[in-house]
Amino acid sequence: MKALIIVDVQNDFLPGGALAVPEGDRVIPVINNISHRFPVVVATQDWHPATHMSFAVNQPGDKKAFEQGMVGGIRQILWPVHCVQGSHGAELAGTLNQEPVHAIIRKGINPEIDSYSAFFDMKGKNSTGLDGYLRSRNVDEIYVSGLAADVCVYFTIMDGIRLGYTCYLIEDASRPVEVEKGDYKKAREKMQNAGAHIIESSVLGSI
Ligand code: VGL
Ligand code: ZN
């Protein structure tokens, strides 16, 4: 069974948002064009408390957004405040067609640790429930779309492969944030080397 995963298509990741992904809005018509064809559709939301430690402002010292820092013992990029629970920025994009979306999985709720992947937090310990949801519907192939291609989409695909799913990245339905130039090229190679299939939405046909 095939599932479409729509990763973090939220206002804060669109142009004008708090953590804008260049051309992030371009993924929406592509996703709207394919979502109704999948038997299972799950959307995710980055859903942080205002106290989240991935926000540079919540770090000790004079940390700035896009610098490296420690969150829950893991070195990662620190971010501007984004996707705060209940805020407009955390809402799914208004033009994303939610009719075909069966379930919404929220992640990044624990203030002490980040959760890029739709499956697990950064330590790979706490599950979001997505794996169980997909298994209960006999999903064995996941088609991943959304934002950002080099952050949450990337981590979702790498976990998906580890969990045994056949993974597809729908490249025209995703965009990278590229905090450093070349981040997406590296992420793309790692996904491919791990066994992910990189496709365009035009090859999907009628699923
Ligand atoms: C994301 C940075 C911080 C993403 C989430 O959805 O790719 N990126 N939080
Ligand atoms: Zn986040």
Side-chain angles (χ1 to χ4, degrees), residues 131-191:
D131 185 37
Y133 183 84
L134 296 176
R135 282 183 203 282
S136 73
R137 280 153 185 76
N138 299 316
V139 170
D140 53 0
E141 287 177 50
I142 60 171
Y143 289 74
V144 185
S145 63
L147 306 170
D150 49 349
V151 187
C152 290
V153 167
Y154 165 72
F155 277 83
T156 298
I157 285 187
M158 297 304 272
D159 275 348
I161 288 169
R162 264 191 289 278
L163 290 166
Y165 295 94
T166 302
C167 293
Y168 294 84
L169 167 63
I170 310 173
E171 204 166 33
D172 55 328
S174 188
R175 288 291 187 282
V177 59
E178 295 243 272
V179 170
E180 306 228 0
K181 202 171 171 292
D183 279 355
Y184 179 59
K185 189 170 178 282
K186 278 187 225 149
R188 192 182 195 280
E189 270 170 22
K190 284 191 196 159
M191 287 187 275

